Amino acid sequence: MKSLAFSVAFGALALAGAVSAQAADGVKIGILNDQSGVYADYGGKWSVEAAKMAIEDFGGSVLGQKVELVSADHQNKPDIGSNIARQWYDVDGVDMITELTTSSVALAVQELSKEKKKIDIVVGAATSRITGDACQPYGFHWAFDTRALAVGTGGALAKSGGDTWFFLTADYAFGYQLEEDTTKLVKQEGGKVLGSVRHPLNTTDFSSFLLQAQASGAKVVGLANAGLDTTNSVKQAAEFGITAGGQKLAGLLMTLAEVHGLGLKAAQGLVLTEGYYWDNDDKSREFGERFFKRTGRMPSMIHAGTYSAVLSYLKAVKAANSKDTEKVAAKLKELPVDDAFAQNGKVLANGRMVHDMYLFEVKKPEESKKPWDYYKKLATIPGDKAFFTAAESGCPLTK
């Protein structure tokens, strides 16, 4: 009986080893994000499509091996995200995980990636902690972060007379960091924060929060949230007459997806910061038009950033002539980033990809000349001004 049990156990281990070895063949990339909740339009299945485009543009293989893409919905829950990532790393042979919308999930997966010695490239999550105190040797942050958003939107509004602020803040890591980073910029410009209120993720009724913002008398109401939370808060702010009463809304993390969801009538005049706009230059237009043909919508910085992250990873694998994590991570920090998302981008020692950011104002309906013609550019923010330096970031790897 013991012999039989041993044989069964040995057979199971052998099978598991065979499955694991099989899974390790080729190069496997995972897109882990919110595909059904508050951030489904913000990233979602559209990020998966952007990753497919990157793999196709690279040629579909690297080091003579096929590139495979897998994806999953983490439902904005760190435990679910970590469990999926663990399964991918331990059983399914995934080499790199990217997109990682939602800062709490991104931080959890980043810690697991460090433990498993695997590369993660965060695109959809914002907290600057990813390449700050929570940095790790194989972790990267691509499209934007809370520091860049604060410098862009917060800095611009504070300089133009928005010297008193009240924050509506999403009640998790991303919201806290965005409020903190923006507060620093507002105070540097001589402004004051009159108060803040935190709301749960995926809130449908913002009335009590907006009434507090209105009563504060602050010139600027900073929306330290994203996705449907931002869309709903902007819509309800209009119903309460907040902007009509003279207060200005600052969408601290808004993308083209949220502006499209709102429509120009509701979104007009909003000031926001993105790292990409489809109509910015020839490269961005070419990518945007190809993406539109596949999806029926124009990409935001999350989708274009995912394309760039996947393409950059594959370039690093090719340059390293290996899937070895240490070698690929070194190449990611060595190679320039020059693609549809970023030109003259560079990756710092803490994993932060530095590139230009853009300050936009949403057009009035009568200013829009064609579908998806939503933004007018107010300023280009050089990457070295938008992002922390490696030394400033607080990343222990740089000390």
Side-chain angles (χ1 to χ4, degrees), residues 34-171:
D34 175 9
Q35 298 182 11
S36 59
V38 66
Y39 300 135
D41 266 359
Y42 169 91
K45 62 183 180 181
W46 316 115
S47 293
V48 177
E49 199 62 36
K52 288 178 182 177
M53 290 175 68
I55 292 168
E56 291 167 14
D57 287 354
F58 193 77
S61 64
V62 64
L63 307 181
Q65 298 178 322
K66 180 182 176 183
V67 180
E68 185 179 348
L69 185 71
V70 296
S71 68
D73 183 353
H74 60 46
Q75 301 174 47
N76 297 310
K77 297 177 180 177
D79 56 339
I80 291 176
S82 292
N83 288 338
I84 293 168
R86 190 177 296 275
Q87 165 80 18
W88 279 358
Y89 286 153
D90 289 349
V91 179
D92 299 335
V94 169
D95 299 292
M96 185 272 280
I97 296 176
T98 187
E99 220 272 52
L100 291 167
T101 302
T102 312
S103 292
S104 54
V105 177
L107 289 167
V109 173
Q110 172 130 314
E111 188 61 30
L112 178 67
S113 300
K114 178 183 178 182
E115 175 194 327
K116 298 296 181 181
K117 201 175 178 182
K118 294 280 191 174
I119 287 174
D120 70 88
I121 305 179
V122 176
V123 178
T127 179
S128 55
R129 290 190 58 213
I130 290 162
T131 49
D133 67 292
C135 72
Q136 57 105 338
Y138 323 115
F140 297 84
H141 203 178
W142 223 249
F144 68 105
D145 64 18
T146 50
R147 154 74 180 204
L149 298 175
V151 170
T153 309
L157 288 173
K159 286 176 182 175
S160 62
D163 56 4
T164 55
W165 286 64
F166 187 96
F167 289 95
L168 262 69
T169 301
D171 194 10

Side-chain angles (χ1 to χ4, degrees), residues 295-311:
T295 65
R297 62 191 293 129
M298 284 297 182
S300 72
M301 68 173 166
I302 310 304
H303 312 129
T306 301
Y307 172 88
S308 176
V310 171
L311 194 62

Side-chain angles (χ1 to χ4, degrees), residues 27 35 46 63 73 81 93 132 141 166 213 219 231 238 272 285 368 372 388:
V27 174
Q35 298 182 11
W46 316 115
L63 307 181
D73 183 353
H141 203 178
F166 187 96
K219 292 179 182 177
T231 303
L272 55 90
R285 275 188 287 275
S368 179
W372 296 89
F388 286 122

Side-chain angles (χ1 to χ4, degrees), residues 140-380:
F140 297 84
H141 203 178
W142 223 249
F144 68 105
D145 64 18
T146 50
R147 154 74 180 204
L149 298 175
V151 170
T153 309
L157 288 173
K159 286 176 182 175
S160 62
D163 56 4
T164 55
W165 286 64
F166 187 96
F167 289 95
L168 262 69
T169 301
D171 194 10
Y172 75 102
F174 145 68
Y176 312 152
Q177 194 66 54
L178 186 50
E179 179 184 331
E180 181 182 325
D181 287 350
T182 307
T183 295
K184 288 178 183 176
L185 264 295
V186 169
K187 289 182 176 178
Q188 282 176 20
E189 296 297 330
K192 295 179 181 179
V193 174
L194 304 183
S196 67
V197 62
R198 292 176 175 177
H199 67 80
L201 183 67
N202 205 14
T203 300
T204 55
D205 183 4
F206 284 87
S207 56
S208 64
F209 310 122
L210 289 167
L211 285 170
Q212 290 180 62
Q214 195 171 40
S216 74
K219 292 179 182 177
V220 180
V221 178
L223 304 177
N225 52 20
L228 281 176
D229 283 341
T230 301
T231 303
N232 288 332
S233 52
V234 171
K235 286 178 179 177
Q236 291 173 39
E239 293 168 8
F240 279 94
I242 285 179
T243 50
Q247 290 175 296
K248 192 168 187 67
L249 291 180
L252 295 172
L253 175 48
M254 285 192 74
T255 73
L256 201 69
E258 289 75 62
V259 173
H260 183 69
L262 282 165
L264 290 183
K265 186 176 180 181
Q268 61 183 308
L270 281 169
V271 176
L272 55 90
T273 303
E274 285 216 55
Y276 166 91
Y277 177 47
W278 73 269
D279 204 16
N280 203 33
D281 55 39
D282 289 342
K283 275 190 174 182
S284 61
R285 275 188 287 275
E286 189 273 339
F287 175 75
E289 286 161 4
R290 286 199 295 130
F291 187 88
F292 184 85
K293 286 178 182 177
R294 297 171 72 118
T295 65
R297 62 191 293 129
M298 284 297 182
S300 72
M301 68 173 166
I302 310 304
H303 312 129
T306 301
Y307 172 88
S308 176
V310 171
L311 194 62
S312 295
Y313 173 74
L314 293 173
K315 288 178 179 178
V317 171
K318 181 180 179 181
N321 196 32
S322 170
K323 292 199 303 178
D324 177 78
T325 297
E326 296 276 5
K327 293 177 181 177
V328 175
K331 286 297 179 184
L332 276 166
K333 292 175 181 178
E334 176 186 316
L335 296 174
V337 179
D338 192 356
D339 52 36
F341 174 75
Q343 290 80 54
N344 302 313
K346 59 183 179 182
V347 181
L348 305 182
N350 61 345
R352 172 69 257 171
M353 199 275 275
V354 171
H355 56 93
D356 291 347
M357 297 289 289
Y358 306 99
L359 185 68
F360 296 110
E361 183 177 317
V362 179
K363 290 183 175 182
K364 297 174 182 177
E366 61 270 22
E367 294 174 321
S368 179
K369 304 303 181 188
K370 55 190 173 183
W372 296 89
D373 177 22
Y374 293 162
Y375 292 167
K376 50 186 174 184
K377 185 162 66 176
L378 301 179
T380 297

